[in-house]
Amino acid sequence: QVQLVESGGGVVQPEKSLRLSCAGSGFTFNKHAMHWVRQAPGKGLEWVALISDDGKRIYYTDSVKGRFTISRDNSKSTLWLQMNGLRTEDTAVYYCTREGFRAVFFDYWGQGTLVTVSS
Amino acid sequence: QSALTQPPSASGSPGQSVAISCTGTSSDVGGYNYVSWYQQHPGKAPKLMIYEVSKRPSGVPDRFSGSKSGNTASLTVSGLQAEDEADYYCSSYAGSNNLFGGGTKLTVL
């Protein structure tokens, strides 16, 4: 069965860095675009970033451009989110999500990893 | 990159139907048939309920249906059941990004 397992969350001070990982299994990783979606405590969902199946197309929400970098290694079925210059408003549960095959929706979600930015 | 607009809350009694709206613009909801809906129970990851406006993934009860008119999409839950109580989020493709609605808390009275 499809599984997405995030790791790397934790407590970090403002302006510091953190790298999140997402290990995919149970599907052909290189056939799906992947996204990161976050949810601040008690708030709604916010799309963060997209990387195409081949890694050639990458997009970010405006608030993280220049600070976050999404990447993937299809040989390892792994997705990453490098987060630099973290701000308190980046505090959230970060979900790794799979995009449907040649589609535009999120058909599988990981369990999420909590990132807390606090001094 | 403004969020889509959803009512913060909705409610209905068991067996009733309830509709949740999701309003965007011609650059997102109105411009593409790529609206999807997600159900989220407390402390859990979201679950896909509807994709491409009105399609249901395998395993989602046919009590859940979706539609769209102009810049507004809707999720209708018919024959409400206690387990339908959750937060619901709409999402739309918007060119180089994706947007979510602010979420609607559905209460089964």
Side-chain angles (χ1 to χ4, degrees):
Chain A
Q1 71 282 19
V2 173
Q3 280 198 311
L4 298 170
V5 179
E6 303 98 334
S7 59
V11 180
V12 62
Q13 293 179 330
E15 292 305 313
K16 297 299 186 182
S17 299
L18 206 59
R19 188 172 86 152
L20 306 182
S21 300
C22 171
S25 61
F27 67 102
T28 306
F29 192 79
N30 63 14
K31 289 193 180 298
H32 292 267
M34 299 294 293
H35 300 248
W36 288 98
V37 174
R38 68 184 178 182
Q39 186 170 34
K43 303 296 184 181
L45 301 172
E46 180 187 21
W47 175 78
V48 175
L50 150 73
I51 186 166
S52 61
D53 53 2
D54 60 4
K56 293 182 179 180
R57 289 185 302 115
I58 289 175
Y59 301 104
Y60 301 97
T61 192
D62 286 347
S63 62
V64 309
K65 284 179 183 175
R67 300 188 300 123
F68 289 12
T69 302
I70 189 172
S71 61
R72 65 190 295 162
D73 184 335
N74 287 340
S75 69
K76 297 179 179 178
S77 297
T78 301
L79 174 74
W80 293 283
L81 185 67
Q82 177 67 43
M83 304 185 293
N84 298 331
L86 282 162
R87 305 168 180 169
T88 55
E89 56 264 35
D90 295 319
T91 294
V93 173
Y94 284 74
Y95 293 102
C96 162
T97 74
R98 189 186 86 163
E99 187 174 285
F101 181 62
R102 294 182 180 173
V104 191
F105 53 85
F106 314 109
D107 60 356
Y108 285 93
W109 298 63
Q111 84 288 352
T113 187
L114 176 61
V115 173
T116 302
V117 184
S118 173
S119 54
Chain B
Q1 295 182 340
S2 300
L4 307 175
T5 300
Q6 295 182 236
S9 63
S11 62
S13 299
Q16 289 187 331
S17 293
V18 64
I20 298 171
S21 63
C22 170
T23 301
T25 69
S26 58
S27 297
D28 39 71
V29 174
Y32 309 93
N33 286 324
Y34 292 136
V35 176
S36 50
W37 290 89
Y38 303 86
Q39 176 191 67
Q40 186 180 35
H41 287 109
K44 301 294 187 181
K47 174 187 175 184
L48 176 67
M49 302 302 285
I50 295 287
Y51 67 98
E52 293 176 0
V53 177
S54 60
K55 298 177 181 178
R56 271 189 317 276
S58 174
V60 172
D62 59 7
R63 301 185 293 103
F64 291 85
S65 62
S67 62
K68 189 185 85 167
S69 177
N71 296 336
T72 298
S74 296
L75 172 72
T76 299
V77 186
S78 304
L80 272 173
Q81 297 183 5
E83 59 262 35
D84 299 334
E85 184 162 297
D87 292 327
Y88 291 84
Y89 295 90
C90 63
S91 178
S92 176
Y93 177 70
S96 59
N97 58 50
N98 293 266
L99 299 176
F100 281 98
T104 298
K105 181 175 181 58
L106 175 60
T107 300
V108 181
L109 302 171

